[in-house]
Amino acid sequence: MIDAMVDRESETRMCDAAITLAFSVLGKRWNGMILAVLGQGEASFVGLRKAVSGISDTVLSDRLTELVEAGLVSRDVSNGPPISVSYGLTAAGAEIVPTIDSLGDWAMRNLRPTR
């Protein structure tokens, strides 16, 4: 009985740590939208800025750097001319997109927009 309680507590702590880790990346404003846009295909910086309405260049640059470092987004530089940069999803990034889509569907059904 005590072993079962210890196992449950350990599983709960591991789950809490995993959720905390996931939301440390996905919980930041704009990251979910950037991943959802890239789920539709590769995009340039300008294409992402147009697709993610309201994001500043600085924040988009910061978020892309974070997502690349997290292993969810890839950054490809073409030597040109002209030099171009495109962003796409890694396998891990592509794996989260259906969950983001499901979360959006859930929010549309259950949450009211804030003003």
Side-chain angles (χ1 to χ4, degrees):
M1 180 70 163
I2 292 176
D3 287 340
M5 287 176 44
V6 169
D7 286 346
R8 265 188 258 133
E9 288 176 15
S10 177
E11 287 176 19
T12 300
R13 281 193 300 274
M14 288 181 359
C15 180
D16 288 348
I19 295 292
T20 299
L21 180 59
F23 276 98
S24 72
V25 175
L26 300 175
K28 288 190 176 179
R29 187 170 186 195
W30 307 113
N31 282 359
M33 291 190 63
I34 293 167
L35 292 170
V37 169
L38 291 175
Q40 299 171 14
E42 288 189 0
S44 66
F45 185 90
V46 172
L48 283 166
R49 186 181 61 216
K50 289 178 182 177
V52 181
S53 179
I55 193 169
S56 71
D57 288 353
T58 302
V59 173
L60 177 57
S61 179
D62 290 347
R63 294 300 184 259
L64 286 168
T65 298
E66 292 169 359
L67 291 168
V68 168
E69 290 174 357
L72 301 176
V73 170
S74 63
R75 181 179 186 270
D76 297 313
V77 180
S78 168
N79 291 332
I83 294 174
S84 66
V85 178
S86 64
Y87 296 90
L89 293 177
T90 63
E95 190 175 337
I96 194 64
V97 170
T99 302
I100 291 170
D101 291 343
S102 293
L103 185 60
D105 293 342
W106 173 85
M108 292 293 290
R109 289 190 312 273
N110 295 288
L111 300 177
R112 293 184 183 170
T114 58
R115 293 184 188 212

